[in-house]
Each structure stands twice: as structure tokens, then as C-alpha cells.
Amino acid sequence: MSYTAYLKINLRKQMAKRDHYKVLGINKSATEKEIKRAYKKLAMKFHPDRNPSNPIAEEQFREVKSAYEILHNAEKREQYDHYGHAAFDGQCGGRRNGFGGASNGFEDVFGSMFEQQAQPRYQPQPEVGTDIILSVEISLQDAIEGCIKEVKLPNNPEPLAVTIPAGIADGQQVKIIGKGNPGSLGAIRGDLLVTIILLNDSIFRREGLDLYCFITLSFPLAALGGTLKVPTFTGFINIKIPTGTQVGRKFRIKGKGIKAMQATKVGDLIYEVQINTPTSLTSQQETLLKKLAEIL
């Protein structure tokens, strides 16, 4: 006989008549909830998965399980309270199917516990902070030349200075890395995205990298030609108006538009002609125009 088998036999002899209440460490007035709690605690302590190759723990686990099989059943508990171990001589052993073949009570209360423990638990993972998206209004001149705008971040009383690069267009975004919301579990912060809203200009309008501007000619200038002083973003220039200039004609000034961001390409400045038609004439002017009309 092996030493392990010898230990098991002797332990069973010693435990055979131990009081079930003492085995679970409870008194005879214990409630069903107290019985179940005591059993789960001891079963966890002596379970073979936690005590591999330990014959003492194995027999203690059997004893705890046997005590619970009697005491958690109201009818069997009443019989045990009246007659003790004699009420179940020859029966308790028949309720086990070898070691590990637990009764239904064991399966209901404890059987799934180790399966649940064996499954990996969800571990929260660090997540990068979300981005903060804001908008800022700028003038056309700010878009052409670049500027610095202050924005207010949520939950931050101090404004943040944002550099707007020259050449930026309506709807484009400026990204400031690491100025978004904080990440979880030490992850990096999100980014700040500033969306550009381009305000209308009273003189120029933007189309891509080109700038457009309406110029108004008098009838004599449009008919006879000459020169006209026109605006740019850096001042004024004179352009030549050819004889017989018509409404809608365009004059293109190369390289006077908008410089592209991060590129050398530059747009053009384009002037569109409008003719100023008089709304009121003196009698002399009217007479002269009628004579001109007869000649033309």
C-alpha cells in the first residue's frame, strides 16, 4: 500500500463521524444562506485544483461536500438533526461517483465557479483620448497672409494660441497634436482640430487660389479705352483698358492671387468688367448721346 493510500484510509476513519455542522464551521441554527456561504468558502480552500497531489486536502474536500449534501437539503437536514449519521449509513457514499463526481447541490452552487475563474477576465485597455473639434472665423486677408487666433478649450480657462498658415481655405482644419481630451489608463491625449470658416470680403472673392474682383468702367472709358486704378491686397496698380471693352471681360494679373500652403504655386488676380450706366442725364448729356447714337 502506498503512503498516499494509507493517508486517505486513516483520514477517512478520522473524519467518518465528524459532525457536519462542525465540518462547515456553523451552528445548528444556521440559515440556508449561511450554509451555502460556509460551503463555498471551504470548497474553494480544499478544491483539488488548488491543492494538486494533496491527499489531505482531497479528503477534506470530500468531507465538506458530504456535509453540504446533507445540510442544504431541508428533509435530510431534519433527519440528520434527529438521528445523526445513523440516518444515512450506506447512503451518502452512493451519492458520489468517485472523486469529482459531485452531487447536484455541488454543481448548482459551486460547479461553474472554477469554469468562470478559468476564463480570461476582461482587462480594460488604454484608449487614446478623443479629438476636440472647434471652429474659428477668419478674414480673407488672414487666410492669404496667415495669422494667429486664440481659441477656448472646454474645461480650460486659458485660451490657446493657434497658428493659421497662409493660404488656408474655407473648411480646412488646423491640427494641434496632443491638445485634445485625455486618454484612459495613461494613453496619449487626442488632438485639437480647428476648422476654418472664411468670412466674405467686401472687395475680393476667392475661388481656389485665384482672387476675383469686379471693376466698374464708365461708358466712355470702356468705349475709348485708357487706364484704370484697381485694388490689390498690397495696394493699387494701374491696368490698361483696351478700346471697346465689353461687360464681363476679364483681365488676369499673373501671380497676384493666393500662395498655396506647403507649395510654390500661386494663383492669379482676375478683374471682371462692369459698365456703369448713368441713371439720370442732363438735357445736354441726353442730346449728345442721341447724336452719338445716330452716328453709331
Side-chain angles (χ1 to χ4, degrees):
M1 179 183 298
S2 67
Y3 179 70
T4 300
Y6 172 79
L7 278 177
K8 287 183 178 181
I9 292 173
N10 280 275
L11 285 169
R12 287 177 184 175
K13 288 179 180 180
Q14 295 174 22
M15 297 176 178
K17 299 300 179 181
R18 283 188 67 194
D19 181 80
H20 288 328
Y21 290 100
K22 291 183 179 180
V23 170
L24 296 180
I26 57 177
N27 55 47
K28 290 189 176 183
S29 62
T31 64
E32 182 179 350
K33 186 176 181 180
E34 290 172 334
I35 293 172
K36 186 180 294 186
R37 183 168 58 244
Y39 166 68
K40 290 175 68 174
K41 180 180 179 180
L42 292 171
M44 286 284 290
K45 180 179 180 180
F46 298 124
H47 197 279
D49 288 351
R50 294 194 170 190
N51 302 274
S53 304
N54 187 337
I56 297 177
E58 180 181 330
E59 291 306 318
Q60 288 174 316
F61 181 76
R62 288 181 184 276
E63 184 185 38
V64 167
K65 185 174 63 171
S66 177
Y68 178 72
E69 288 175 353
I70 300 299
L71 298 184
H72 92 286
N73 184 296
E75 182 180 350
K76 292 181 179 180
R77 180 179 179 182
E78 183 178 1
Q79 295 177 18
Y80 179 77
D81 289 345
H82 281 86
Y83 306 108
H85 290 284
F88 304 99
D89 285 346
Q91 294 184 18
C92 291
R95 290 183 60 83
R96 294 193 293 268
N97 183 21
F99 182 76
S103 67
N104 290 336
F106 173 73
E107 292 172 355
D108 293 342
V109 177
F110 192 73
S112 64
M113 184 179 299
F114 287 94
E115 292 179 7
Q116 294 172 356
Q117 289 183 343
Q119 297 174 358
R121 294 182 178 179
Y122 170 74
Q123 296 293 332
Q125 299 297 317
E127 293 185 3
V128 175
T130 55
D131 295 336
I132 295 175
I133 302 177
L134 301 176
S135 60
V136 63
E137 295 180 341
I138 64 172
S139 66
L140 179 58
Q141 185 167 356
D142 288 337
I144 293 173
E145 299 176 354
C147 63
I148 295 177
K149 292 289 183 179
E150 289 188 342
V151 297
K152 291 184 178 181
L153 301 179
N155 303 318
N156 190 341
E158 295 296 325
L160 177 68
V162 177
T163 300
I164 310 297
I168 198 164
D170 183 62
Q172 288 186 310
Q173 291 182 323
V174 177
K175 179 188 286 188
I176 297 90
I177 296 174
K179 292 298 182 180
N181 292 311
S184 64
L185 301 177
I188 61 174
R189 300 179 70 98
D191 300 328
L192 171 63
L193 303 176
V194 180
T195 303
I196 299 301
I197 299 176
L198 185 60
L199 299 175
N200 292 329
D201 188 78
S202 60
I203 298 176
F204 300 93
R205 80 175 188 273
R206 176 176 179 170
E207 292 185 16
L209 296 178
D210 294 332
L211 290 175
Y212 285 77
C213 176
F214 284 110
I215 55 174
T216 302
L217 307 183
S218 66
F219 176 73
L221 179 58
L224 302 175
T227 59
L228 181 69
K229 188 177 182 180
V230 293
T232 71
F233 261 102
T234 58
F236 290 87
I237 60 173
N238 291 316
I239 61 172
K240 183 177 180 180
I241 305 298
T243 302
T245 297
Q246 302 296 312
V247 172
R249 181 169 179 174
K250 295 181 176 64
F251 298 96
R252 183 183 295 270
I253 311 299
K254 291 284 188 179
K256 290 295 183 178
I258 300 172
K259 184 179 182 299
M261 290 193 304
Q262 302 176 348
T264 58
K265 185 177 180 181
V266 181
D268 299 333
L269 178 55
I270 301 167
Y271 296 102
E272 296 183 71
V273 171
Q274 294 177 320
I275 303 295
N276 182 22
T277 302
T279 57
S280 62
L281 297 173
T282 66
S283 58
Q284 183 182 10
Q285 291 171 335
E286 186 174 349
T287 300
L288 291 173
L289 281 175
K290 285 180 179 179
K291 291 182 177 180
L292 180 61
E294 291 175 358
I295 297 172
L296 294 174

